[in-house]
Amino acid sequence: MKIAGNDILIQSLINEGVEYIFGYPGGAALHIYDAIFNQKEMQHILVRHEQGATHAADGYARATGKPGVVLVTSGPGATNAITGIATAFMDSIPMIVISGQVQSHLIGTDAFQETDMIGVSRPIVKHSFTVDKQENIAQIVAEAFHIATSGRQGPVLIDIPKDLTNPDDLFDFEYPKSVHIRSYNPPVRPENHQVSRAVDAMIASERPVIYAGGGTISSNASEELRELNKILDFPVTNTLMGLGVFPGTDKRFLGMLGMHGTYQANMAMHNADLIIALGARFDDRITNAPDKFAPRAKVIHFDVDHSSVSKIIEADIAVFGQIKDSLQVINNHLKTRKEEIDHEKLIPWHEQINEWRNKHGLNHDLYKNEDDDSPILPQAAVQHIYQESKGKAFVTSDVGQHQMFAAQYYHFDEPRKWINSGGLGTMGFGLPSAMGVKLAYPDEEVICITGEGSIQMCIQELSTCSQYKLPVKIFNINNMALGMVKQWQDMNYDGRHSSISYEDSLPDFVGLVESYGHVGIKITKNSELKDGIAKALSLKDKLVFVDIYVDPEEHVYPMQVANGSLKDLWLGKGEKT
Amino acid sequence: MENKPGALARVVGLFHQRGYNIDSLHVDPIEDFEPFRFIEDELGIKFQVGEVSRLTIRTTVGDRLMRQILRQINKLIEVIAVSDEESTYLKGILRNENLL
């Protein structure tokens, strides 16, 4: 059967099992939208801004593991998608972005809504394709999906000139059954010599730490990690991107490490004799000063990406491959050497860690305070959300203090439940990503923990939630200022609060969300927190926006001391280790 | 690398993105495949005339950064192989690097 370029494109997506496509129409994408109109297998979600489309697709991808798909038009449609593409790139999230382009004969003429999208997006995509003729559309889509979802995952862009989707030109359509790209061959299984060296080091270690990041989640290696821990009984810390891959409530869990990580996680890393890095990339929010990082530790680095290993911290042993496959091999090896594994030897190390935990660990009982004379602590608000949602919700967040409080105080027991922009730190991510999660899991609780600064960066998506009936629950940790910036100004600029306040011009959030047909709840007292949050969660079919006024003076602690080692932490205002 | 539109820009762009400097650059299509037979053998592929280009870049960096540059270039989808005086990276296969 012969079909046109626009139908080839849409049928190719359907062949890839795409359920939702997030987008916004415009001139160069009109033929494609006509093809969407003529089919039933895939639903298009019309957002209110292209940034929202990319974050929604991203949230869908993080929650499901399947690639999120975005469709935008040329020029401003494409450039509006840039922030969301960069967000997905930094966190290695599989995404397909299709951008319309002006007609082939107009390219390079500064035509209406023309932008060199391939050029603009080059540093923030894993790969990109320009469609050159209709006969290649199916092959390009198949290659794009293959690249986005294999190796170290990431966004792939397909730029398609309008004339190549013209409904009048017909071509044969057959979707490729498999894809092989000769210049692309990411490692899957590790090599034997790497594995046996890693196993030797694990067995010999007396002060080990497993440091698991986002790559452990994208490789779906949570089960293998839990099995590894069962065999070895090692303490585990997670990066911001890795939360949930190991149970947050497990006794061997140290909490998050890094800039705002727990005292015990950072101390354990600093004093370790062995660090087992799983799909984590030692970024600057983890290591603090690299030359002072974990001075006595041997490093085993598991990664699918060669260029991540020994980029910041030199690895002593490198294990290349998908984390899942590598851990399966490691676990099998360890089982054959069971009699050499000595749990007793680790007891002093576990005791030391518990001592650190008891000394300066986080207080998880702040929510028990119902005293209305003191302001609401943002940490307590997150603890209430955790309690009322029984720790089972998908939680998306934006960027800033509320994000760190959510990461510290909501304990994730399962991977893919914590959805946040770790690498790029994109404000505006929370609400649209929650939409993507809710579409993927309509029967699950989906919570967005945000702040009054971040939420206003993509607040237009409240309208999309109304259109598609997406009853996400938004908890706005409202401190009436850009809290994290303010914290840095308090600590590094003698409290000169430059451009962080908009207190007198904040909207009435309750009135605002009601104008979209949603429900708003305002909370200003500790005694209202529990019931207010419970009520929001009980309204199953409604988007509820809970505006929680918290103590504007609160800071996030612990916090790494700039250019220090992992043991150099601020523990409170003016209080250092 | 594959002789495809945009492939050169990806390599050059990578140098800028990662803060590496290019001292000189030379690119042309490969006509004599004899020195590259080992790549064909290792990857199980066969080059045709006009399909692949050789790019020569001169840059002045230390060993560790050189290794990082090679690995970053090797990651580009259209790059088939990359080498310096000591190491050669083929897609998915590493030769000669004194690896860890």
Side-chain angles (χ1 to χ4, degrees), chain A residues 3-22:
Chain A
I3 59 175
N6 58 347
D7 289 320
I8 295 177
L9 180 63
I10 295 306
Q11 287 304 319
S12 298
L13 297 178
I14 291 169
N15 268 278
E16 288 289 345
V18 176
E19 306 170 274
Y20 294 106
I21 180 163
F22 302 88

Side-chain angles (χ1 to χ4, degrees), chain A residues 9-10 21-25 29 32-33 36 44 50 53 69-73 96-100:
Chain A
L9 180 63
I10 295 306
I21 180 163
F22 302 88
Y24 206 104
I32 305 172
Y33 272 88
I36 291 177
H44 179 267
E50 289 87 350
V69 182
V70 176
L71 173 60
V72 293
T73 191
I96 304 292
V97 181
I98 298 161
S99 53

Side-chain angles (χ1 to χ4, degrees), chain A residues 10-86:
Chain A
I10 295 306
Q11 287 304 319
S12 298
L13 297 178
I14 291 169
N15 268 278
E16 288 289 345
V18 176
E19 306 170 274
Y20 294 106
I21 180 163
F22 302 88
Y24 206 104
L30 282 177
H31 295 326
I32 305 172
Y33 272 88
D34 196 46
I36 291 177
F37 189 85
N38 289 327
Q39 57 78 46
K40 295 259 178 308
E41 281 110 312
M42 192 173 65
Q43 190 186 356
H44 179 267
I45 304 296
L46 175 66
V47 294
R48 297 296 173 271
H49 185 289
E50 289 87 350
Q51 184 183 349
T54 50
H55 292 332
D58 185 322
Y60 174 89
R62 289 178 202 239
T64 62
K66 295 189 278 188
V69 182
V70 176
L71 173 60
V72 293
T73 191
S74 64
T79 56
N80 276 348
I82 287 293
T83 300
I85 299 172

